[in-house]
C-alpha cells in the first residue's frame, strides 16, 4: 500500500481487514484499515470509511484513536491509517467476567471524556459498544480509546449535517 509495508493482520470485520503496517520511510508502525475489494466498490462504504477518518481526526483527544490518513491506492484499495494500539477490546475483556468496580469506573470516565470531546466538535458516535472501546496498555496505566466513528453524525462549522446509517 504505497508508503506502508503490511506486517500482519490484526482483525477482520464486515467491511474490511485491519493490519499492522510499517511506514517505509519512518520505520513507525501503524494500523491500516483496508476495505475489502467487494466493499470498496460501494460509494456508501467508502464514504463511511472517510467519515470515520474525518470524524476521529477532527476530535484530537487522548481517548479517541488517532487517524492520520485516508487514501486510495492506484489499484483501488481504500484505507485509513491509524495509531497502532496495544491491548484488548473492552468486549474481549468483559467476556472474562465483570470488571472490578474501580476499574469499571476508570474505563467509564475515559469513555465519557472521549464522547464529551466528540460532542464538543459536533460529532455523535452512534455506535458505542464494548467492541468499539479499546483498553491500551501503557506504562502510566490503562488508557481507553474509543474507535470506529464510521456511522457517527457530524455537524460541521456551517451546521450542515451528514447522516450515514448502517445497512
Amino acid at each position: 500500500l504505497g508508503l506502508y509495508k503490511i506486517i500482519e493482520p490484526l482483525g477482520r470485520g464486515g467491511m474490511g481487514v485491519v493490519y499492522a503496517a510499517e511506514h517505509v520511510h519512518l520505520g513507525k508502525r501503524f494500523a491500516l484499515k483496508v476495505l475489502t475489494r467487494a466493499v470498496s466498490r460501494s460509494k456508501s462504504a467508502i464514504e463511511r470509511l472517510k467519515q470515520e477518518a474525518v470524524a476521529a481526526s477532527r476530535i484530537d483527544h487522548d481517548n479517541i484513536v488517532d487517524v492520520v490518513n485516508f487514501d486510495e491506492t492506484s489499484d483501488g484499495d481504500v484505507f485509513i491509517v491509524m495509531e497502532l494500539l496495544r491491548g484488548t477490546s473492552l468486549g474481549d475483556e468483559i467476556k472474562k467476567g465483570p470488571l472490578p468496580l474501580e476499574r469499571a469506573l476508570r474505563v467509564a470516565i475515559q469513555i465519557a471524556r472521549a464522547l464529551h470531546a466528540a460532542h464538543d466538535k459536533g460529532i455523535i458516535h452512534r455506535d458505542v459498544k464494548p467492541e468499539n472501546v479499546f483498553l491500551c496498555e501503557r506504562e502510566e496505566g490503562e488508557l481507553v480509546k474509543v474507535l470506529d466513528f464510521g456511522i457517527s453524525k457530524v455537524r460541521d462549522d456551517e451546521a450542515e449535517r451528514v447522516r450515514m446509517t448502517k445497512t
Side-chain angles (χ1 to χ4, degrees), residues 6-93:
I6 301 295
I7 306 295
E8 64 181 331
L10 298 174
R12 183 175 301 274
M15 289 181 58
V17 181
V18 178
Y19 297 95
E22 187 173 289
H23 191 282
V24 295
H25 299 303
L26 302 176
K28 183 174 179 175
R29 291 199 174 188
F30 293 92
L32 266 68
K33 182 187 279 190
V34 183
L35 293 181
T36 63
R37 289 275 166 104
V39 172
S40 66
R41 292 187 197 120
S42 163
K43 279 191 166 196
S44 65
I46 293 170
E47 282 303 311
R48 183 174 169 197
L49 188 68
K50 185 177 180 181
Q51 170 88 1
E52 178 178 352
V54 170
S57 65
R58 187 180 291 177
I59 300 165
D60 190 28
H61 189 272
D62 287 343
N63 295 118
I64 293 176
V65 66
D66 189 22
V67 176
V68 297
N69 196 12
F70 169 83
D71 209 345
E72 182 176 350
T73 67
S74 58
D75 295 337
D77 291 318
V78 180
F79 64 96
I80 61 174
V81 181
M82 304 171 283
E83 67 179 305
L84 181 61
L85 304 175
R86 305 239 184 261
T88 186
S89 76
L90 179 58
D92 287 343
E93 194 66 16

Side-chain angles (χ1 to χ4, degrees), residues 55-161:
S57 65
R58 187 180 291 177
I59 300 165
D60 190 28
H61 189 272
D62 287 343
N63 295 118
I64 293 176
V65 66
D66 189 22
V67 176
V68 297
N69 196 12
F70 169 83
D71 209 345
E72 182 176 350
T73 67
S74 58
D75 295 337
D77 291 318
V78 180
F79 64 96
I80 61 174
V81 181
M82 304 171 283
E83 67 179 305
L84 181 61
L85 304 175
R86 305 239 184 261
T88 186
S89 76
L90 179 58
D92 287 343
E93 194 66 16
I94 61 177
K95 285 177 186 171
K96 299 173 188 174
L99 299 181
L101 178 60
E102 195 171 296
R103 183 177 184 206
L105 290 172
R106 284 194 309 269
V107 169
I109 288 168
Q110 291 183 65
I111 293 169
R113 287 181 180 147
L115 297 177
H116 183 265
H119 294 174
D120 279 351
K121 300 284 183 169
I123 299 168
I124 301 169
H125 190 284
R126 298 198 316 174
D127 196 22
V128 178
K129 59 187 178 185
E131 293 74 22
N132 287 339
V133 174
F134 203 83
L135 308 174
C136 302
E137 302 163 2
R138 300 284 168 97
E139 284 183 27
E140 60 275 4
E142 189 170 68
L143 178 67
V144 172
K145 294 277 189 171
V146 176
L147 318 172
D148 199 348
F149 281 78
I151 63 169
S152 62
K153 181 176 177 180
V154 178
R155 185 176 52 241
D156 68 18
D157 294 337
E158 298 161 9
E160 174 184 324
R161 295 181 185 203

